[in-house]
Amino acid sequence: MSLSEKVIIVTGASSGIGAAIAQVLAREGATLALVGRNVANLEATKKNLKGVKAEIVVADVTKDADSIVQQTLAKFGRIDVLVNNAGILGKGGLIDLDITEFDAVLNTNLRGIVLLTKAVLPHLLKTKGAVVNVSSCAGIRPFAGALSYGVSKAALDQFTKIVALEMAPQGVRVNSVNPGFVVTNIHQNIGIVGDEYNGMLQRAINSHPMGRVGDVREVAEAVAFLASSKASFTTGALLPVDGGKNNLTPR
Ligand code: NDP
């Protein structure tokens, strides 16, 4: 699955799944633009990519789409793949909805991806490149009490499918991975800690038919597959990486 000579932008490379994506893509020989806001965490990701061409791009995906593209082109001269991984969670259902939080979740998980994909697209058209979006099993099926997040990921999935159709004749592929529960900082970032987190983790373990949660590396391997020429006839696909959870009826 060699990705050597491929220049790949990975958003949210400073933590969790994005840091693992950077590692797996680096193993496959890719050249990486590591995007995030936390410089120290981006440096930590870069330090683990020994011997690989990688540059840090400090940027906010909700505001800095053009800057991300320009910085990547200035460093590497081309863009072959965009991995839209940066994302945040939201808490609660409709009755206790915090509309400010709803806006923030949609802004990061949807609007930011639309803006960055639009800015990168002219360069992907030149390289016949690909986009891989990191969505969620919450995009495929509903979960009560995760309104903002589920709506953002469902909309992202439709974005993936629409842009895939639009770009297919031009040879640009657009796909997503839809992970189940993976242990990262994403829950504690919105204050889900302690007993609340432990309860959520146990419910996640029980609700994945494979009887466990996922690992960041398992999501990253799926992203690398969709980014590579091994997936050359795959576009508009939502690939569940969720231990079978997408097959269950909602509960
Ligand atoms: P983390 O909280 O560990 O990482 C989130 C990443 O997103 C960080 O690197 C953060 O970077 C980046 N990020 C968030 N907002 C912005 C922004 N405005 N601009 C730039 N970067 C931003 O979470 P995960 O690794 O778990 O999440 C990665 C993706 O995986 C998300 O899209 C999430 O929805 C998805 N996912 C996660 C699941 C899980 O159970 N963990 C399950 C299903 C999907 P920084 O702080 O440096 O800005």
Side-chain angles (χ1 to χ4, degrees):
M1 184 203 291
S2 175
L3 289 165
S4 59
E5 312 301 317
K6 302 291 183 198
V7 174
I8 304 185
I9 297 174
V10 182
T11 69
S14 46
S15 180
I17 291 170
I21 291 170
Q23 283 219 344
V24 170
L25 296 178
R27 183 196 70 201
E28 299 299 326
T31 297
L32 299 172
L34 307 170
V35 180
R37 297 164 300 182
N38 186 313
V39 185
N41 289 349
L42 289 168
E43 295 281 6
T45 298
K46 186 177 170 185
K47 211 170 147 198
N48 285 331
L49 310 175
K50 295 173 188 80
V52 168
K53 272 199 270 177
E55 294 285 348
I56 287 170
V57 175
V58 181
D60 182 330
V61 295
T62 66
K63 301 191 254 216
D64 301 325
D66 290 337
S67 165
I68 292 168
V69 172
Q70 290 320 316
Q71 288 190 60
T72 305
L73 291 174
K75 290 171 204 300
F76 302 126
R78 58 185 283 144
I79 303 170
D80 296 280
V81 178
L82 168 63
V83 179
N84 284 309
N85 163 76
I88 57 173
L89 271 181
K91 256 184 160 179
L94 184 60
I95 216 149
D96 50 0
L97 183 68
D98 173 347
I99 199 66
T100 307
E101 185 186 76
F102 177 87
D103 289 343
V105 171
L106 271 286
N107 200 23
T108 304
N109 296 3
L110 182 64
R111 191 172 184 276
I113 290 176
V114 172
L115 290 175
L116 183 55
T117 307
K118 186 170 165 58
V120 171
L121 201 50
H123 308 284
L124 297 181
L125 286 166
K126 286 183 201 157
T127 55
K128 305 284 181 209
V131 177
V132 184
N133 294 322
V134 179
S135 180
S136 168
C137 60
I140 296 174
R141 57 187 293 250
F143 292 92
L147 184 84
S148 310
Y149 188 72
V151 166
S152 74
K153 295 297 189 178
L156 173 60
D157 288 348
Q158 198 63 270
F159 175 77
T160 296
K161 292 192 262 188
I162 290 168
V163 182
L165 277 183
E166 290 176 359
M167 291 303 123
Q170 270 91 258
V172 174
R173 297 180 301 105
V174 186
N175 294 289
S176 81
V177 295
N178 294 61
F181 194 103
V182 178
V183 175
T184 67
N185 292 331
I186 199 166
H187 303 96
Q188 77 181 41
N189 286 346
I190 61 161
I192 302 173
V193 292
D195 287 347
E196 187 184 2
Y197 177 78
N198 291 334
M200 181 182 268
L201 177 60
Q202 197 52 54
R203 284 193 300 282
I205 290 168
N206 296 339
S207 66
H208 291 74
M210 289 181 76
R212 65 174 176 86
V213 295
D215 183 80
V216 290
R217 184 59 76 131
E218 294 172 306
V219 180
E221 295 287 357
V223 169
F225 165 69
L226 291 171
S228 78
S229 58
K230 295 233 175 202
S232 54
F233 201 45
T234 300
T235 197
L238 314 179
L239 176 57
V241 184
D242 65 357
K245 190 162 178 158
N246 73 95
N247 283 320
L248 298 175
T249 49
R251 66 189 170 104

